[in-house]
Amino acid sequence: MSALGPLPRRIAVALALPVTLIAAWWITSAGSENFYFPPLQTIVQTFGKLWFSPHALSDVVPSLWRFSVGYLAAAFLGIAIGIPVGASRNLRNVLEPVLEFFRAIPPPVLVPVLILFAGIGNEMKALVIMFGCIWPVLLNTVAGVRALDEVLAETVRSYRIGRFARLWHFTLPGASPLIFTGLRQALPIGIILMVVSEMFAASDGIGFALVQYQRTFALPEMWSGIILLGIIGIVLSLIFRAIETRLLGWYHGLRQSQRAG
Amino acid sequence: MLEVKGLRKVYEDTSRTVEAIRDVSFCVGEGELVCIVGPSGAGKTTLLKCIAGLLAPTAGGVIVEATPVVGPPPAMAVVFQEYGRSLFPWMSVHDNVMLPLKQKNMPAARREELVRDALAAVDLKGVESAYPWQLSGGMQQRVAIARAVAYEPHVLLMDEPFAAVDAQTRADLEDLIRVLWRRLRVTVLFVTHDIDESVYLGQRVMVMSQAPTVIMEDVAVDLPDERTQLETRSMARFGELRKHIYSQIQLAKQGWRPPAG
Ligand SMILES: Nc1ncnc2c1ncn2[C@@H]1O[C@H](COP(=O)(O)OP(=O)(O)OP(=O)(O)O)[C@@H](O)[C@H]1O
Ligand SMILES: [Mg+2]
């Protein structure tokens, strides 16, 4: 950690490789006649035209909306189910085999099934995203609740702290480091499922657009769509990191003081 | 005030059973300060947890303020042996002391006053907004004591609270307990394995045998009420008492136990 040095240097280190790769791509693809690998310059120009136009919103907004609904529903349900399951050995014994089974199902195969129940609208896509994202959140929440400190639990009990305060001031914050681990693991899963579900059956969305470009051999557009997905992934993980830093500041401080002591 | 009657505690696992406490009975009057000493593994923590309503006794029972203990009694505070783990690492010092008070029905201003007074009493002004893990061990222990004091308990249970702090801090904390006890008129049950500490602090010292535990002897400490580290500890009577208790503990370690009945 300390070997990284001051902030400007850290930023320089973080950006060095991406900049080199982009430069290499730019130079090697410059003037490319290959239909499948157009010059990066063309892709960037297309990117600007395509994704900074009002028309683009009709694809990006639905995608992000589905992702948000599915991901947040998974986060809420994963935590809400994970807490009682983590707290009760009996509940775990009953639920664990079932959960293991559901977790083993690859979420994309649910798309055809869910189309039957939920149609091809936003609900179906949000459900697929939710189904994929819920497992890391749920399993990590269970682990987090199980790992709650026993002495702290006895403290809570001996001061007769009520149910709600117990949940809010003890269980949730105590399990939050692992809950956040689960939420972080769910992030890329959600993006993948967003795109995949839109490729199957959709009339808009980034995944839908990508398939359209591919079918019409609009290669620069397709490449620019892939770049857009990468950027969305990075922005989401930056937002996630900012929230995590805020909520888990105590945890990183605690870890550091334990390492030092 | 506090009565322990025929208490017996057997830990039962699938693999083994441990008889920690065989038969313990004693009474503590209102406002008394009683120390419990015994060799390591004597069942001191077990006894305290039974009194605190955190463990169900196998036989016998505990009565606190005329009410049989079935769960944590309302006007009781416990300072645990593992004090570092009994503080919430995600809360500031202030919030750690405040949390139990939120359960009590009183005006917010009164709560703030109790927190402020308790932190001042343990000499912790100015660290309200720090996290516990930013403090030294002795300071953390004082936060745990402040939390117990702010709770305004009628009975205060302390389990080897000073086992992990240095000698100087320990002497200071011992005096702090005497001061708080005399000022608040609270009933204190103080567990320690340090014979000197038990004689210095207590009005009575109860010597416990090895597990399965019975009480070896209940020694009245006939030292003046005004105690100072230097003077009290150099009194002839102090030496006699500690010698007497020391020999009792030696007997306990050799497995000697008082004749039944
Ligand atoms: N949860 C438990 N399950 C099984 N046995 C236990 C449990 N807790 C304590 N014991 C056993 O009960 C006996 C008394 O333990 P206890 O922790 O009460 O001793 P203690 O006097 O507090 O010791 P120390 O001075 O080391 O803190 C020990 O033999 C211990 O192994
Ligand atoms: Mg103990």
Side-chain angles (χ1 to χ4, degrees), chain A residues 154 157, chain B residues 9 11 45-47 49-57 70:
Chain A
E154 284 187 330
R157 219 143 74 78
Chain B
K9 177 69 195 178
Y11 287 106
T45 299
T46 307
L47 172 65
K49 285 188 178 169
C50 286
I51 298 174
L54 294 168
L55 269 181
V70 282

Side-chain angles (χ1 to χ4, degrees), chain B residues 44-46 81 159-160 191:
Chain B
K44 305 182 292 294
T45 299
T46 307
Q81 193 166 359
D159 190 0
E160 299 194 34
V191 166

